Amino acid sequence: MKKLSWMFLLVFTGVIGLAQEKEGGFAISIGGGMAQPAGRFAAAPVLSLHNNAGNAVTGIAGRLLLQYQLKNKLGFSLSVEGAINSQDKKRFRQIIQNGLSEGFSVKATAKSWKVFKVMPGIYYSFPVSGDSKLHIQPMLSAGVCKTAVPAQS
């Protein structure tokens, strides 16, 4: 219940802070929220003991974005992101139980999926309003991603 309360708080408050200096062109953005599993992380239609893909439930994610804008509206960015998604333990136990005859009790543990990304990139700032207080910043980023596949026992 405590974990659900924290997720509720993160989703509805947005957990977004922004600090920016107008003179230097440096900006920091911190964000967090829900990490919805997709692709290999999402629940697989057929899950077996030999295939630990899938079985992830909604978790938490965080992001730190550093930006430095040059005078000509072109800028550089560095994004550091991470997410943790636990596994559906009830479903995992159910899969083991289905392979056994009745009368056996199942005790199983499953660790969480962990994802960590570092992505440098470039962006361009387009002013939307006449007084230049509102900007659109399309960003192109590429980087590395490390995924920790959970252990099961």
Side-chain angles (χ1 to χ4, degrees):
M1 187 64 181
K2 187 175 182 180
K3 187 175 181 179
L4 183 63
S5 299
W6 275 107
M7 284 179 44
F8 181 82
L9 180 67
L10 288 174
V11 171
F12 289 105
T13 60
V15 187
I16 294 178
L18 181 64
Q20 186 171 358
E21 283 181 34
K22 289 186 178 182
E23 299 285 329
F26 181 72
I28 299 173
S29 175
I30 300 170
M34 289 184 4
Q36 183 65 35
R40 184 174 176 208
F41 307 110
V46 178
L47 186 66
S48 71
L49 294 176
H50 306 288
N51 177 15
N52 59 357
N55 206 29
V57 296
T58 302
I60 59 170
R63 177 182 183 195
L64 173 67
L65 177 65
L66 305 173
Q67 293 180 312
Y68 183 75
Q69 186 169 328
L70 303 172
K71 291 183 180 180
N72 63 356
K73 299 184 184 179
L74 180 69
F76 298 100
S77 65
L78 177 65
S79 178
V80 180
E81 304 175 26
I84 298 174
N85 295 78
S86 60
Q87 291 196 56
D88 186 351
K89 292 175 185 157
K90 287 181 184 177
R91 184 168 183 232
F92 184 58
R93 285 186 194 112
Q94 199 174 38
I95 291 163
I96 296 170
Q97 190 69 44
N98 288 344
L100 301 172
S101 58
E102 284 193 39
F104 286 96
S105 65
V106 175
K107 184 175 183 180
T109 60
K111 297 196 177 183
S112 299
W113 287 92
K114 295 179 178 107
V115 179
F116 180 73
K117 298 183 264 187
V118 177
M119 299 187 303
I122 59 172
Y123 69 92
Y124 192 82
S125 183
F126 295 102
V128 176
S129 61
D131 58 0
S132 297
K133 288 188 177 182
L134 184 63
H135 295 265
I136 294 177
Q137 293 180 338
M139 190 178 305
L140 179 63
S141 297
V144 294
C145 177
K146 171 65 178 146
T147 304
V149 178
Q152 302 167 339
S153 61

